[in-house]
């Protein structure tokens, strides 16, 4: 996403259509992916790695 606001709006649209309540939809922002992987490692532990 180009801006955090666009990311939040996209997340809200995804949540409206979410069929599985076990799936958490989040917006994480950081200057680097490495920082996110360190500070929010629980989102980067599986084989699946989704990016918008």
């Amino acid at each position: 996403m180009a801006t955090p606001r666009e990311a939040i709006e996209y997340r809200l649209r995804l949540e409206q259509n979410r069929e599985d309540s076990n799936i958490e939809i989040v917006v994480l922002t950081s200057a680097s992916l490495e920082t996110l992987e360190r500070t929010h490692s629980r989102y980067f532990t599986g084989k699946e790695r989704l990016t918008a």
Side-chain angles (χ1 to χ4, degrees):
M1 302 288 137
T3 67
R5 180 183 178 106
E6 287 180 15
I8 291 168
E9 289 172 352
Y10 183 66
R11 184 202 65 154
L12 293 173
R13 286 194 305 273
L14 288 174
E15 284 182 347
Q16 288 176 346
N17 298 315
R18 179 178 53 182
E19 295 179 13
D20 185 347
S21 63
N22 292 314
I23 295 175
E24 183 177 15
I25 301 171
V26 299
V27 172
L28 302 172
T29 60
S30 176
S32 72
L33 179 58
E34 292 77 22
T35 299
L36 285 177
E37 289 174 335
R38 188 176 65 252
T39 60
H40 293 79
S41 61
R42 72 186 198 122
Y43 296 108
F44 301 95
T45 58
K47 290 182 180 179
E48 303 85 10
R49 185 168 169 182
L50 303 176
T51 58

